Amino acid sequence: MSSSLNLEGATSPKVDTKTRKTTNWPLLLLSCTFVAIGIIGGPLLARLYYLHGGTRSWLSSCMQTAGFPILIFPLLSLFLQSRSQGESPSMFFMEPKLFILSAIIGVFLGLDNFMYSLGLSYTPVSTSSILFSTNLAFLAVFAFFIVKQKFTPYSVNAVILMNLGAVLLGLRSGGDRPPGVSNAQYLLGFILTLVSAAGLGLLWPLIEWSYSKSKRPINYGVVLQFQTNLAIFATLFSLTGMAINKDFQAMGKEANEYGLGNGMYYLVLCASAVVWQLSFIGGLGVIFCANSLLNGVLSAVLLPITNIAAVIFYHENFNGLKAMSLVLCLWGFTSYFYGEYTMYKKFKDSPQTQLDDDSTQNEVLSRV
């Protein structure tokens, strides 16, 4: 997929104006907001489930994608809009190739969600979010090989700074082992969260690569269809695990024994489903408007905010290393967007762009 944020490297200052596209800034900002809601709220709600008596990791992982029915309303609106403009249904729905790819990636996402949920059951939010932030490093590597993501010194600097911030946070994470969790369980949670981070780092470039396989231009309607199908297959994978683990039979008893009450048990699950779904919608929107690397950078910069929220709501420790990590992540985020700004300015000031603008103006004048 040709992306407006796929930048040329430092050794090749020429900008390919033929492959750049105009960034849809309102949609990008809305997508970033959804990502922020999910990255901050998702782990907090998932941990809230475990803190007050929840023990079903398959159920927790299912909630990460079970909120896909909320996508029906925007999809229906986009479909009716396309029909009013005379577009045939075959042009609105995504191609069979994208359907198959989204199904395969959805199953992979279901497995990744389970590893993350099980890891979170043995680690505090601050530690799991630290470990999970390493997906940016995995994403950078996978994006380079899968979608040929080009880097500038600014984007490389951002990746290094944010991962350094994650390392600093991890230096004292060993003392955060939750009560009742054994050393073996904590180690298992540690490993599963890292593997899950690697899986997510692979997933986003795969989605961007899938977009590039479409014969038709990708619009936001196709993005929502892709996300819906992806979430359906991920949910089916989790539901299969729940059935094998007999979670359906245990939910009633677990709800009655939940520390916050029966009603709050189901409210936490429903809120978790909605928040996680917003996160995935936002992630796909960021990839659609920009690229998978920006989505990883955004997730990393929200890491310290998630830690601060964990300190406020769950009274987890906040030390000098976490404060330093916050500074490093914000520095990295600023570096990334400054690099984007300089490349945008270079693109706008390039002779080819000015020539295209003059040609467009002359064409308009010739029609008057």
Side-chain angles (χ1 to χ4, degrees):
M1 174 184 174
S2 177
S3 169
S4 62
L5 296 182
N6 282 348
L7 306 178
E8 295 293 335
T11 58
S12 180
K14 183 180 179 181
V15 179
D16 185 2
T17 59
K18 293 182 180 180
T19 59
R20 290 184 66 102
K21 68 175 184 179
T22 303
T23 301
N24 187 336
W25 288 106
L27 180 58
L28 179 59
L29 292 175
L30 179 63
S31 299
C32 289
T33 301
F34 285 166
V35 170
I37 292 172
I39 294 296
I40 298 171
L44 293 176
L45 287 169
R47 188 60 190 162
L48 183 64
Y49 166 75
Y50 289 117
L51 281 175
H52 296 279
T55 59
R56 302 286 165 172
S57 296
W58 279 111
L59 174 60
S60 179
S61 66
C62 183
M63 290 303 102
Q64 295 184 43
T65 52
F68 67 85
I70 66 174
L71 300 178
I72 294 176
F73 301 104
L75 271 175
L76 180 60
S77 175
L78 289 173
F79 176 74
L80 294 177
Q81 182 181 357
S82 69
R83 293 295 292 160
S84 66
Q85 296 173 351
E87 185 177 289
S88 64
S90 61
M91 294 299 296
F92 175 80
F93 293 110
M94 64 179 175
E95 301 169 33
K97 182 188 299 183
L98 290 183
F99 178 89
I100 295 173
L101 288 173
S102 63
I104 295 173
I105 296 175
V107 174
F108 176 74
L109 175 62
L111 175 61
D112 192 72
N113 287 342
F114 173 72
M115 290 188 293
Y116 173 78
S117 297
L118 187 57
L120 185 60
S121 68
Y122 298 136
T123 56
V125 172
S126 57
T127 302
S128 64
S129 60
I130 292 163
L131 297 172
F132 202 70
S133 70
T134 59
N135 78 84
L136 179 61
F138 293 110
L139 190 153
V141 174
F142 289 131
F144 177 79
F145 288 104
I146 296 176
V147 294
K148 310 302 180 184
Q149 175 69 55
K150 297 178 177 64
F151 292 100
T152 67
Y154 299 103
S155 59
V156 172
N157 184 51
V159 171
I160 293 174
L161 287 171
M162 292 180 186
N163 282 284
L164 179 59
V167 171
L168 285 176
L169 279 172
L171 291 178
R172 296 184 61 180
S173 62
D176 290 339
R177 184 162 52 89
V181 175
S182 66
N183 288 329
Q185 289 175 324
Y186 184 84
L187 179 60
L188 176 62
F190 191 97
I191 294 173
L192 285 175
T193 306
L194 273 180
V195 175
S196 176
L200 189 66
L202 174 61
L203 184 139
W204 292 120
L206 283 178
I207 292 175
E208 187 175 355
W209 173 80
S210 298
Y211 289 169
S212 70
K213 297 303 177 181
S214 175
K215 294 181 180 179
R216 302 197 305 261
I218 297 292
N219 55 40
Y220 200 60
V222 174
V223 171
L224 288 181
Q225 292 174 58
F226 194 97
Q227 162 61 12
T228 302
N229 201 47
L230 184 149
I232 288 174
F233 279 88
T235 303
L236 289 174
F237 181 86
S238 298
L239 289 174
T240 303
M242 288 179 62
I244 295 174
N245 200 43
K246 299 182 179 180
D247 285 357
F248 294 105
Q249 296 89 324
M251 283 182 64
K253 181 181 178 181
E254 187 174 77
N256 292 329
E257 297 175 354
Y258 192 63
L260 298 178
N262 187 294
M264 282 298 297
Y265 175 83
Y266 292 104
L267 180 60
V268 167
L269 292 178
C270 291
S272 180
V274 172
V275 166
W276 281 121
Q277 194 59 223
L278 289 177
S279 176
F280 281 108
I281 295 173
L284 291 178
V286 170
I287 293 176
F288 170 67
C289 296
N291 55 44
S292 55
L293 180 61
L294 175 59
N295 188 55
V297 171
L298 180 61
S299 300
V301 79
L302 292 169
L303 161 67
I305 302 177
T306 305
N307 279 271
I308 292 172
V311 171
I312 295 173
F313 294 107
Y314 300 144
H315 308 292
E316 296 182 4
N317 295 327
F318 188 84
N319 51 47
L321 288 178
K322 290 185 179 180
M324 189 178 298
S325 172
L326 175 61
V327 174
L328 287 172
C329 285
L330 291 176
W331 183 8
F333 195 57
T334 303
S335 174
Y336 181 87
F337 271 98
Y338 180 74
E340 289 300 310
Y341 173 75
T342 57
M343 291 300 295
Y344 177 76
K345 288 286 291 182
K346 184 183 296 184
F347 167 70
K348 292 294 291 182
D349 296 338
S350 65
Q352 181 62 41
T353 303
Q354 295 175 2
L355 179 62
D356 291 343
D357 290 342
D358 292 341
S359 299
T360 302
Q361 293 175 3
N362 292 334
E363 182 180 354
V364 171
L365 290 174
S366 66
R367 295 177 181 176
V368 176

